[in-house]
Amino acid sequence: MDIDDLIDAAIGREGGFVDHPADRGGPTRFGISEAVARANGYAGPMRALPRATAERIYRRLYWEQPGYARIAATAPAIATELFDTGINMGPAVATGFLQRALNALNRDAADYPDIAADGALGPQTEAALTAFLARRKPGGEAVLLRALNALQGERYIRLAEKRPANEAFLYGWLANRLA
C-alpha cells in the first residue's frame, strides 16, 4: 500500500477541471472542490490548481488527519476504501460507515463492545477493528469491505432520491466508487 499510488488513482478517477451545473460543490480540479482548495490556502483559479497542491491536500485531509495511514498497516483494503470514500463523501462519513459496520458485525457486542458512530477514528474504533480482524480472519477484511461498500451505495441512492439533480452522478458513483 502506497499513498502516492492511491492519490494517483484518485486523481485519475476524478479527472481535471470540472464545473458541472448540478454539482453543489462547484468547480473542482483533480477532485478538489473550490471550497477545500480555498480552505487549504489556494487562491488562484480552479482551472489552474497545481497537481502538487491537490496531492498535498489528499495526503493531509484524506489520509493523515483522519488516521487512515494507521489503519493501512493492519487492514490495507479498509484503509484504501476509507480514503476513497472520504474523498467523495468526507472522512467523517467514511469513518462513520466503518463504525456502523463494526457495530453491526460484533455479534451483539460478544466479540468487542459497541463503539460510538461519531465519525472520528479514535482508539476505540481502532481497537474494535483490530478485534474484528483477529476474530474474523482470513475473510474478515473482505466482509468488512463489502459492508462499507453497501453503506456507501445506499447513501448514493438516497442522495439521488432526495435530489433528482444528483441522478446525473449516480451511475458514475456506483461504477467508479464501489470496489
Side-chain angles (χ1 to χ4, degrees):
M1 152 112 25
D2 178 57
I3 184 55
D4 293 325
D5 292 339
L6 293 177
I7 291 170
D8 284 344
I11 288 174
R13 272 189 308 279
E14 296 291 345
F17 179 77
V18 178
D19 191 7
H20 194 287
D23 188 348
R24 288 182 173 169
T28 66
R29 180 159 161 91
F30 305 124
I32 303 296
S33 72
E34 186 170 22
V36 169
R38 300 289 182 248
N40 286 274
Y42 179 71
M46 285 306 294
R47 283 186 186 278
L49 178 77
R51 181 182 171 108
T53 300
E55 290 170 353
R56 281 192 302 275
I57 289 170
Y58 277 129
R59 182 181 313 279
R60 190 175 73 257
L61 292 186
Y62 302 104
W63 186 248
E64 293 169 357
Q65 282 182 1
Y68 303 151
R70 294 189 311 269
I71 299 301
T74 56
I78 300 304
T80 298
E81 179 64 23
L82 293 171
F83 173 74
D84 186 63
T85 303
I87 289 168
N88 193 246
M89 296 184 167
V93 172
T95 302
F97 287 167
L98 174 65
Q99 292 163 329
R100 289 177 58 203
L102 287 169
N103 284 342
L105 290 165
N106 72 359
R107 297 181 318 135
D108 199 24
D111 293 339
Y112 48 87
D114 280 340
I115 52 177
D118 60 7
L121 185 62
Q124 290 177 336
T125 302
E126 290 184 49
L129 177 59
T130 299
F132 172 80
L133 293 172
R135 179 82 172 162
R136 295 296 184 173
K137 284 227 180 237
E141 190 172 10
V143 168
L144 184 55
L145 184 60
R146 286 186 191 126
L148 295 173
N149 280 313
L151 290 166
Q152 185 178 10
E154 189 281 330
R155 181 171 169 121
Y156 287 139
I157 290 171
R158 191 169 11 105
L159 288 170
E161 289 172 340
K162 288 173 79 173
R163 182 174 177 258
N166 284 334
E167 289 181 11
F169 310 113
L170 182 60
Y171 184 89
W173 287 337
L174 294 172
N176 298 309
R177 291 292 181 177
L178 302 179

